[in-house]
Amino acid sequence: MPWGLKRYYGTGNLHFITWSCYRRRPLLGNPARRDLLLAALELMRVRYRFAVIGYVVMPEHVHLLISEPLIGDPSKIVQAVKLSVSRRLAIGGEFSGRFWQSRFYDFNLWSPRKEVEKLNYMHRNPVVRGLVASPEDWRWSSYRSYAYGEAGLVRINDWTWWEEKIRRSAS
C-alpha cells in the first residue's frame, strides 16, 4: 500500500484489496498454489464472516473485492489468508523463505459504478496479461460464477452472515 493512503474500516463499503508475492515473483504460478490460496480464502470467508464479491488470483498477485467482515477487519483477513498459504506450503516442504510482500493495497468502493469497474478489471486481468484468450478460460477468478452461475472454490455473494449481524444489532 502506498504511504499516506488511509484505510477506512467500519464504513460498510466494499473493499478492493490487492497484495503481491514477494518481489512480484510468480510464486502463484502453478495451479495447485492458486487452488491453495482460494481454499484458504474460502476458509477465512466462513471464519470471519464476510462476502466475497469477486476475486482473481494471478501468478504474482491477488485481487479481492469483499465486504467488511463481521469479525475483525480486512487487514485481519489478508493476514490470515497470507499466513495460511505460507504455513501450508512450508509444512508441505514446498516453499521456504518470504512468500508475500509485507503490505497490501485497500481501496474503499463508494459507488456501484466502482464495483462494476473493479469486477471488470479483475476479470479482464488474465486476458490483458496474455494468460488466456478470454476471462472464462481463467479458473482462478470469479468470472465463471457471474457468467455461468458456476460454483467455484470460493462462494461468491454469500451474505448469509449478514442475518447474524442484523440479529446482533437488534438485541
Side-chain angles (χ1 to χ4, degrees):
M1 186 168 116
W3 294 104
L5 189 60
K6 181 154 174 44
R7 294 189 174 128
Y8 295 96
Y9 295 156
T11 63
N13 296 113
L14 297 178
H15 294 264
F16 177 70
I17 296 172
T18 301
W19 74 85
S20 299
C21 295
Y22 185 61
R23 295 190 175 164
R24 300 256 324 156
R25 293 180 182 150
L27 300 176
L28 296 168
N30 72 53
R33 286 187 178 176
R34 290 190 294 269
D35 287 347
L36 174 63
L37 185 129
L38 292 176
L41 176 61
E42 177 61 12
L43 180 68
M44 299 313 155
R45 183 191 70 78
V46 172
R47 183 176 294 163
Y48 291 98
R49 299 187 185 108
F50 62 93
V52 175
I53 311 307
Y55 65 88
V56 66
V57 181
M58 300 292 287
E60 69 291 315
H61 69 280
V62 178
H63 292 300
L64 292 180
L65 182 54
I66 63 170
S67 70
E68 291 202 354
L70 185 59
I71 299 169
D73 58 41
S75 293
K76 183 61 105 182
I77 291 163
V78 172
Q79 178 187 27
V81 172
K82 285 178 165 184
L83 189 59
S84 178
V85 169
S86 298
R87 281 189 178 161
R88 288 181 191 187
L89 290 173
I91 289 168
E94 284 190 56
F95 191 84
S96 63
R98 285 190 64 182
F99 196 88
W100 302 111
Q101 283 295 119
S102 311
R103 300 177 62 86
F104 69 95
Y105 175 79
D106 181 0
F107 175 82
N108 285 70
L109 273 65
W110 308 102
S111 71
R113 184 180 66 72
K114 276 290 184 194
E115 181 179 341
V116 171
E117 176 187 308
K118 295 302 183 187
L119 279 171
N120 286 335
Y121 173 80
M122 285 188 292
H123 293 155
R124 297 280 311 149
N125 205 327
V127 176
V128 170
R129 293 279 308 282
L131 299 172
V132 290
S134 65
E136 61 263 18
D137 296 334
W138 190 252
R139 273 189 15 206
W140 302 275
S141 90
S142 53
Y143 180 85
R144 294 186 68 85
S145 178
Y146 283 97
Y148 306 114
E150 289 182 5
L153 293 175
V154 177
R155 278 187 78 178
I156 301 300
N157 290 317
D158 177 9
W159 291 83
T160 53
W161 59 271
W162 189 254
E163 294 170 3
E164 182 180 341
K165 184 174 182 174
I166 292 169
R167 278 195 302 275
R168 281 186 182 181
S169 65
S171 51

